[in-house]
Amino acid sequence: MAIRAARPDAEIEKDIKDSLYADLRIVSDNVDVQVVDGKAHLRGTVPDEAQKSLARAVADRIKGVRQVVNELEIESVAAKADADITADVAAALAADTLVDEDKIEVTTVDGVVYLRGTVSSHTERKAADEDTRAIRGVVDVIDEIMVAPSYARSDEEIATEVRKQIQKNLKLDGLKLEVEVRHSIVHLMGNVSTMEQRWLADELARWTPGAIDVVNDLKVVSVQGP
């Protein structure tokens, strides 16, 4: 049986950093990652214990990581006024391409943020919830957002459109990705070469009219040269 070569530390380190940055639940601005012989060291600060644990879980999922040494510290944050929290949440929603901020009402009472409104997909609702929880000063989130798809399509029509968008994209050209749609939820399967390709396929699926959510099972497989 052939022994698979260990992944380079620099490659593992980049994947961890990219994954932490892409996870909107984690405020990763002050997080540093160093990988030595497959051992990932997480250093810096995060706002709370939940994000510290989540950062460890994200790093632990990266291929090639043998061990995670979580040295992240919890940064004490002064209490913020409800009005400031509401403004920060509104700004975060406006900055997220997955969210139509005009459809969501934000109210904050004693640090607890209430989200109300109607969006067109579970993906958008989840993104709004995650954006809100990442804001410093937020004690809890009460998510009362309703989901009502604005564009009705059959599962086959959605699948056909997703496949079409993937084939049209030059960065995904030539990849044999499997697309299945069940109850308006898109399932992506197959192999890609980079995290960028994985994210791009995910984005294309999420923005397909009629899709309410995406289950991304794409695997990143490094392509070895001759």
Side-chain angles (χ1 to χ4, degrees):
M1 179 183 294
I3 299 176
R4 179 179 296 178
R7 296 185 68 198
D9 287 340
E11 186 177 303
I12 298 172
E13 188 173 299
K14 182 179 184 302
D15 282 354
I16 294 175
K17 289 179 179 178
D18 288 346
S19 297
L20 291 174
Y21 177 78
D23 196 319
L24 295 176
R25 297 169 295 175
I26 303 174
V27 180
S28 60
D29 298 353
N30 298 319
V31 176
D32 181 62
V33 180
Q34 183 179 24
V35 178
V36 180
D37 295 331
K39 182 184 293 186
H41 296 262
L42 305 181
R43 301 185 179 95
T45 61
V46 288
D48 53 50
E49 192 66 39
Q51 292 195 35
K52 179 178 179 179
S53 297
L54 185 57
R56 178 190 183 91
V58 169
D60 200 39
R61 289 200 302 267
I62 300 301
K63 288 185 177 179
V65 172
R66 296 190 301 105
Q67 181 183 353
V68 177
V69 181
N70 194 346
E71 302 174 45
L72 290 171
E73 298 180 356
I74 307 302
E75 180 182 25
S76 58
V77 180
K80 289 172 63 175
D82 287 343
D84 291 337
I85 294 175
T86 296
D88 287 348
V89 171
L93 297 181
D96 193 336
T97 57
L98 292 176
V99 178
D100 183 349
E101 70 277 11
D102 293 332
K103 296 179 180 178
I104 300 175
E105 176 189 346
V106 182
T107 307
T108 307
V109 179
D110 296 332
V112 178
V113 180
Y114 294 80
L115 301 177
R116 301 182 178 94
T118 302
V119 297
S120 58
S121 71
H122 291 289
T123 296
E124 186 174 0
R125 179 185 180 187
K126 181 181 179 182
D129 187 282
E130 292 176 348
D131 289 347
T132 302
R133 292 183 188 279
I135 298 299
R136 296 186 182 184
V138 172
V139 175
D140 197 3
V141 178
I142 307 301
D143 190 344
E144 300 177 350
I145 297 175
M146 299 180 64
V147 177
S150 58
Y151 196 100
R153 263 181 163 179
S154 69
D155 287 348
E156 186 53 43
E157 287 176 320
I158 296 171
T160 298
E161 181 64 22
V162 172
R163 295 186 190 106
K164 178 181 176 182
Q165 293 303 319
I166 288 175
Q167 290 170 358
K168 285 172 55 179
N169 194 287
L170 292 178
K171 291 185 178 180
L172 300 176
D173 185 41
L175 295 178
K176 296 181 180 180
L177 306 183
E178 297 180 44
V179 178
E180 293 183 6
V181 180
R182 298 189 290 273
H183 306 296
S184 299
I185 299 175
V186 181
H187 296 255
L188 299 175
M189 295 159 286
N191 298 331
V192 293
S193 301
T194 65
M195 288 294 291
E196 180 186 13
Q197 290 178 331
R198 186 177 191 274
W199 293 330
L200 182 56
D202 192 286
E203 287 286 288
L204 290 174
R206 289 184 190 280
W207 282 104
T208 299
I212 63 173
D213 205 353
V214 176
V215 177
N216 191 341
D217 288 327
L218 294 174
K219 294 179 174 57
V220 180
V221 179
S222 297
V223 178
Q224 302 296 329

